[in-house]
């Protein structure tokens, strides 16, 4: 590896680590102060000590997974579940709380990849002895095949870094018709070489994504692969009844000697779906019988906070890690009313963000967002906002912009939210009514929410949409949320606002071409302000992810890379024998 290339990669890694460190400092004591943070809510710590091997870990959930197919899995925290339990990637994040978890290690690969040609070519070598659940070998060709699958029009919804980064992919629609990409070469079963359209210094991070996990062509089932991914990880699927229950059991051919992060403590992992959020909270708070060996999948309900925080014996079983994401109100710019800039800008002042904090569990679990990039990508002191930093609505400013936009008496509009966000939508409805904006609310099940708002032809005027960087770089945030060239008719995951702006897109390309990570970092932050002025979305919250565990859970912590979800690579039980109740 040339010294200059290695130095660039090292500088990037150091910059990313400092960005994460700066974010924590900023939220705790800087201008984005988390002064409402409740002392004692676990963050950066491990609950329950070291797990013991064996037993059944139960995950209580109010929803099914959107997608488990690694070519389609791009919703946090389902990526955590898939990449920690069912399939491995070329590299992966460390299993550690806090800032340590932002580091990456080789997973299927022997190292973090070797760049050449100025970062336009990356070569990875697979470890020897890697096997699937049936004992067959994991080959480099299988990783190539899964990356190619991610281009298939039928397999929508997954990470599109391959489409963005790989060379010579124009018009490619996947391998199902026998066509393959020349920009991915596999000279032997343990070597895979990616040729990129431009230098990508952080490509070692890119290949942590499930797109870069192996799928043998012999296992291809198209859209049905979602129901039964072929395991390269420590567990395999025993049974899966959509919307009801998923049972994972050990993959006997997974070898811990090849795996630097996964411990696979439980013998079995059972995901029970379709439960009500409040019911889940109450069961884990009581922690009786098998529920003592359970964790919750989705956030603790805001109504449960009063049952947890005043009780030290329960509070110590609460994780509330920062998600590293920004929660936004996406405004559909593709048609009226929000094709009108003035009406979009009016929303920046009409929305009462303090009401969003209340509806989302209060200030112990939320900070008000004042820009698009989350603090983890901006660092201390970069808190500029095009609309000021007020936490409540400014009806006078909103009404002035409504009048300038030709709607002095307001207008009618629609919002689609998941069922769990209905209270938040009602809070929006209330604040917008103060300026004459009449909001109609539609709710959908969480498991189909992103597919619903990602159908651009039938998308609502508004949607609550969060975005989390796939790894700590501005390149994983603004281009995915606000680049008009990423919009898809179906499975439109990022640019829910359907925002198109040629000047913004040109600047994104210029920043992406920068070889100096620090300069690119500053440029992304400057571009954030520019996009704010065009108002494709209203930044709402920087949230924590509140999750409860039962009394018998050990090794539990919220992982920053997985938006505060438990790291399923290392969670387990204190006493496995107690899990059989």
């Amino acid at each position: 590896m040339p010294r200059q290339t290695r130095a660039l990669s090292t500088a990037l890694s150091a910059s990313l680590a400092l960005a994460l460190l700066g974010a924590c400092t900023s939220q705790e004591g800087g201008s984005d102060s988390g002064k409402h943070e409740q002392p004692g809510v676990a963050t950066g710590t491990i609950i329950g000590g070291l797990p013991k091997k064996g037993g059944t870990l139960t995950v209580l959930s109010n929803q099914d997974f959107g997608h488990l197919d690694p070519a389609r899995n791009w919703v946090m925290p389902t990526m955590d579940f898939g990449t920690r339990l069912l399939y491995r990637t070329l590299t992966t994040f460390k299993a550690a709380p806090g800032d340590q978890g932002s580091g990456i290690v080789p997973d299927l690969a022997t190292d973090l990849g070797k760049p050449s040609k100025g970062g336009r070519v990356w070569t990875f070598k697979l470890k020897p002895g890697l096997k699937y659940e049936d004992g067959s070998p994991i080959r480099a060709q299988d990783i190539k095949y899964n990356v190619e699958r991610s281009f298939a029009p039928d397999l929508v919804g997954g990470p599109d870094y391959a489409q963005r980064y790989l060379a010579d992919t124009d018009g490619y629609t996947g391998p199902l018709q026998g066509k393959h990409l020349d920009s991915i070469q596999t000279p032997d079963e343990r070597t895979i070489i990616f040729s990129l359209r431009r230098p990508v210094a952080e490509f070692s991070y890119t290949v942590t994504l499930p797109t870069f996990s192996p799928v043998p062509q012999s296992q291809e089932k198209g859209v049905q692969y979602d129901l039964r991914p072929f395991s390269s990880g420590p567990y395999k699927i025993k049974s899966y009844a959509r919307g009801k229950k998923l049972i994972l059991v050990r993959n006997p051919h997974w070898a811990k000697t090849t795996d630097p992060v996964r411990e696979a403590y439980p013998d079995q992992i059972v995901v029970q779906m379709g439960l009500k959020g409040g019911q889940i909270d109450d069961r884990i708070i009581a922690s009786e019988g098998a529920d003592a060996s359970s964790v919750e999948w989705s956030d603790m309900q805001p109504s449960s906070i009063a049952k947890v925080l005043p009780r030290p014996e329960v509070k110590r079983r609460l994780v509330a890690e920062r998600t590293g994401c920004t929660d936004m109100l996406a405004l559909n710019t593709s048609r009226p009313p929000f094709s009108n800039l003035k009406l979009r800008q009016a929303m920046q002042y009409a929305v009462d963000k303090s009401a969003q904090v209340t509806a989302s569990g209060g200030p112990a679990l939320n900070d008000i967002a004042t820009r698009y990039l989350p603090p983890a990508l901006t660092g201390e002191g970069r808190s500029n906002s095009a609309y000021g930093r007020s936490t409540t609505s400014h009806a006078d400013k909103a009404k002035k912009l409504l009048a300038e936009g030709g709607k002095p008496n307001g207008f009618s509009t629609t919002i689609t939210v998941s069922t769990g966000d209905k209270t938040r939508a009602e809070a929006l409805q209330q604040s917008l009514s103060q300026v004459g904006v009449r909001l109609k609310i539609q709710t959908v099940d969480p498991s189909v929410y992103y597919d619903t708002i990602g159908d651009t032809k039938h998308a609502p005027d508004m949607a609550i949409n969060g975005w989390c960087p796939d790894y700590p770089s501005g390149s994983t945030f603004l281009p995915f949320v606000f680049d008009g060239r990423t919009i898809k008719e179906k499975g439109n995951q990022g640019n829910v606002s359907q925002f198109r702006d040629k000047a913004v897109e040109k600047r994104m390309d210029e920043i992406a071409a920068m070889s100096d990570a620090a300069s690119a970092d500053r440029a992304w932050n400057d571009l954030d302000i520019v996009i704010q002025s065009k108002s494709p979305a209203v930044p709402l919250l920087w949230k924590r992810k509140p999750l409860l565990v039962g009394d018998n859970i050990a090794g539990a912590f919220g992982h920053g890379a997985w938006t505060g979800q438990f790291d399923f690579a290392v969670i387990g039980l204190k006493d496995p024998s107690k899990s059989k109740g």
Side-chain angles (χ1 to χ4, degrees):
M1 185 185 304
R3 178 177 292 275
Q4 189 174 16
T5 307
R6 177 184 288 275
L8 175 62
S9 179
T10 303
L12 176 73
S13 298
S15 172
L16 299 180
L18 286 172
L20 281 175
L21 181 60
C24 295
T25 304
S26 175
Q27 281 211 290
E28 290 174 359
S31 51
D32 294 316
S33 176
K35 40 185 123 166
H36 304 296
E37 181 181 337
Q38 293 286 336
V41 175
T43 177
T45 58
I46 300 174
I47 292 177
L50 187 67
K52 294 181 179 178
K53 193 168 183 176
T56 296
L57 171 69
T58 301
V59 182
L60 303 180
S61 179
N62 64 342
Q63 60 188 274
D64 199 349
F65 301 103
H67 297 291
L68 285 178
D69 183 335
R72 309 181 71 182
N73 185 353
W74 202 19
V75 174
M76 296 290 191
T78 309
M79 283 206 298
D80 167 24
F81 193 87
T83 58
R84 293 313 219 189
L85 300 176
L86 290 173
Y87 30 82
R88 298 171 62 179
T89 46
L90 284 170
T91 66
T92 193
F93 287 95
K94 293 180 180 178
D99 295 338
Q100 293 181 27
S102 66
I104 58 173
V105 293
D107 189 359
L108 293 175
T110 57
D111 55 30
L112 298 182
K114 291 182 168 57
S116 57
K117 296 187 178 179
R120 288 180 179 271
V121 175
W122 283 78
T123 301
F124 296 86
K125 195 83 170 178
L126 300 192
K127 297 169 183 172
L130 300 168
K131 295 180 180 179
Y132 291 107
E133 62 177 78
D134 66 349
S136 59
I138 296 172
R139 307 176 308 142
Q141 289 84 351
D142 304 335
I143 297 173
K144 171 183 169 73
Y145 184 75
N146 190 42
V147 176
E148 292 175 337
R149 293 176 74 244
S150 71
F151 286 79
D154 292 340
L155 304 181
V156 296
D160 63 357
Y161 288 88
Q163 290 91 321
R164 290 168 175 268
Y165 291 168
L166 288 176
D168 304 322
T169 61
D170 292 345
Y172 184 66
T173 57
L176 300 183
Q177 306 302 319
K179 296 182 179 179
H180 298 280
L181 289 173
D182 291 335
S183 51
I184 309 176
Q185 294 294 316
T186 53
D188 57 59
E189 292 192 347
R190 289 183 51 209
T191 305
I192 185 165
I193 304 169
F194 300 95
S195 296
L196 311 181
R197 63 181 64 188
R198 64 171 178 82
V200 179
E202 70 268 24
F203 197 67
S204 293
Y205 279 83
T206 305
V207 297
T208 63
L209 294 164
T211 312
F212 299 90
S213 63
V215 172
Q217 186 170 357
S218 61
Q219 295 293 323
E220 179 64 78
K221 296 180 177 64
V223 295
Q224 296 302 312
Y225 194 77
D226 246 347
L227 300 175
R228 186 62 174 81
F230 193 58
S231 176
S232 55
Y235 295 91
K236 62 180 181 179
I237 294 176
K238 178 181 179 181
S239 62
Y240 187 12
R242 290 300 303 259
K244 296 179 180 179
K245 183 182 286 188
L246 171 69
I247 300 178
L248 304 183
V249 295
R250 292 191 183 278
N251 169 9
H253 298 285
W254 168 79
K256 172 58 188 167
T257 54
T258 70
D259 197 324
V261 293
R262 299 168 186 84
E263 296 295 340
Y265 287 115
D267 290 332
Q268 181 174 252
I269 298 174
V270 177
V271 184
Q272 295 181 359
M273 306 167 188
L275 305 172
K276 294 186 181 299
Q279 174 189 8
I280 294 170
D281 294 345
D282 289 343
R283 285 175 57 173
I284 297 184
I285 290 170
S287 197
E288 297 175 350
D291 289 341
S293 302
S294 298
V295 301
E296 60 185 356
W297 175 257
S298 295
D299 297 6
M300 181 182 71
Q301 297 292 296
S303 58
S304 297
I305 288 178
K307 305 175 186 178
V308 174
L309 295 187
R311 299 172 59 186
E313 75 280 6
V314 179
K315 186 178 179 180
R316 67 168 179 258
R317 296 192 274 116
L318 171 65
V319 168
E321 192 60 62
R322 294 181 180 91
T323 64
C325 312
T326 302
D327 212 40
M328 293 168 277
L329 178 65
L331 309 176
N332 189 341
T333 66
S334 69
R335 63 168 190 253
F338 296 123
S339 53
N340 184 319
L341 173 60
K342 294 294 184 181
L343 301 186
R344 298 200 304 269
Q345 291 174 329
M347 295 302 99
Q348 301 285 350
Y349 295 111
V351 172
D352 185 345
K353 295 183 182 181
S354 64
Q356 288 297 300
V357 169
T358 301
S360 300
L365 301 175
N366 300 274
D367 292 322
I368 287 173
T370 56
R371 57 189 183 276
Y372 300 130
L373 288 175
L377 298 184
T378 60
E380 187 173 5
R382 291 181 182 164
S383 56
N384 294 336
S385 170
Y387 301 97
R389 300 178 53 74
S390 176
T391 63
T392 57
S393 59
H394 282 280
D396 53 342
K397 293 181 179 180
K399 288 178 179 178
K400 182 175 183 295
L401 286 162
L402 289 172
E404 292 175 3
K407 298 289 183 180
N409 299 317
F411 54 88
S412 296
T413 188
T414 63
I415 188 170
T416 295
V417 295
S418 69
T419 51
D421 278 335
K422 185 180 180 184
T423 302
R424 296 185 61 189
E426 291 169 344
L428 282 169
Q429 188 180 54
Q430 174 64 25
S431 62
L432 296 184
S433 70
Q434 304 303 308
V435 297
V437 175
R438 300 167 293 279
L439 183 61
K440 181 180 179 181
I441 300 170
Q442 176 187 2
T443 62
V444 298
D445 187 82
S447 65
V448 297
Y449 176 64
Y450 287 99
D451 288 338
T452 301
I453 66 172
D455 182 348
T456 55
K457 285 190 176 180
H458 303 97
D461 297 332
M462 295 181 179
I464 293 177
N465 183 49
W467 193 260
C468 316
D470 289 307
Y471 47 87
S473 167
S475 64
T476 70
F477 197 101
L478 293 180
F480 288 90
V481 184
F482 300 121
D483 188 338
R485 296 164 294 186
T486 68
I487 298 170
K488 302 175 184 177
E489 182 176 333
K490 300 280 189 181
N492 185 43
Q493 294 282 350
N495 193 343
V496 176
S497 300
Q498 299 186 51
F499 176 67
R500 294 176 170 88
D501 187 288
K502 295 297 184 186
V504 168
E505 292 167 10
K506 181 175 183 291
R507 184 55 179 156
M508 287 179 177
D509 290 343
E510 291 169 350
I511 300 172
M514 292 180 179
S515 59
D516 180 69
S519 297
D521 178 49
R522 290 190 294 271
W524 287 123
N525 277 275
D526 291 342
L527 184 59
D528 189 338
I529 303 298
V530 172
I531 299 174
Q532 284 180 47
S533 69
K534 299 172 186 287
S535 192
V538 180
L540 297 176
L541 302 173
W542 290 317
K543 303 175 73 173
R544 294 174 180 270
K545 190 171 185 65
L547 296 167
L548 285 165
V549 305
D551 267 332
N552 194 34
I553 295 297
F557 61 87
H559 198 296
W562 314 122
T563 66
Q565 178 59 278
F566 297 121
D567 190 343
F568 284 97
V570 292
I571 199 167
L573 308 174
K574 296 177 184 176
D575 184 348
S577 67
K578 291 183 178 180
S579 68
K580 300 173 183 177

